Amino acid sequence: MTIRGKFEPLSAAQRAALAAVSGIGYTDAGSFSHDADATVFSFRCQVPAEPDDDDGIAELKAEELLAAHGIPVRQVLKVAVTDMRDIKIKRKKR
């Protein structure tokens, strides 16, 4: 999951909390990448999927992970879901 959006103005403590969870990988807890002023962000996370889950349920789970960080979000601009269950890896024949 990738969520892109805008932050509310952040305090010094919130900026420190953001720095602690910044990174570029997809993790279970989620990680942020952001601009130098911490005004816009990308939040990446992995959410476990049950067999019957659809994109909407995955989005809700990701938004819960985002909210759990306690960093105020002004606006979510885009949410992207990649269902890894549908990806097929082609192996080279030897």
Side-chain angles (χ1 to χ4, degrees), residues 2-3 12 16 19 21 26-27 34 38 41 43 47 49 51 54 56-57 61 65 72 83 94:
T2 303
I3 300 175
V21 292
Y26 289 83
T27 65
H34 54 85
F41 68 90
F43 178 74
V47 294
D54 61 4
I57 292 172
K61 289 179 180 180
L65 286 173
D83 191 343
R94 295 181 181 203

Side-chain angles (χ1 to χ4, degrees), residues 1-64:
M1 298 284 315
T2 303
I3 300 175
R4 292 190 178 110
K6 295 180 180 181
F7 289 119
E8 290 287 344
L10 301 178
S11 68
Q14 290 167 330
R15 285 177 184 270
L18 177 62
V21 292
S22 291
I24 58 170
Y26 289 83
T27 65
D28 292 336
S31 62
F32 289 91
S33 57
H34 54 85
D35 66 335
D37 295 329
T39 55
V40 296
F41 68 90
S42 289
F43 178 74
R44 296 170 185 86
C45 64
Q46 297 176 10
V47 294
E50 300 299 325
D52 296 334
D53 287 355
D54 61 4
D55 289 356
I57 292 172
E59 285 181 31
L60 290 174
K61 289 179 180 180
E63 288 174 359
E64 288 174 2

